[in-house]
Amino acid sequence: MDVKRVKQILSSSADIEVQYHGTSVWIDQLHEDGKIATVHLRGPLEERSEVAIEDLEEV
């Protein structure tokens, strides 16, 4: 995924499904470098991870 699309998803009020290696995640924030995003799993677990935005995929 590119940085422009990550920013669009973050600013959208719509529920846009994004996956990280086949697992649905929410994007929490985009880091200043534009290459890393903080995400957490959809569902009851709030575990957050920092991932490369190139590994994110819109479904």
Side-chain angles (χ1 to χ4, degrees), residues 8-53:
Q8 289 172 342
I9 290 171
L10 282 169
S11 65
S12 174
S13 61
D15 182 3
I16 300 168
E17 186 174 356
V18 174
Q19 292 188 348
Y20 174 68
H21 295 293
T23 302
S24 289
V25 297
W26 290 105
I27 302 173
D28 295 317
Q29 75 177 75
L30 178 65
H31 293 229
E32 288 183 22
D33 66 6
K35 297 178 182 177
I36 302 292
T38 300
V39 301
H40 72 272
L41 297 175
R42 288 180 175 248
L45 299 175
E46 290 285 327
E47 182 178 335
R48 287 177 165 62
S49 301
E50 293 182 354
V51 301
I53 64 167

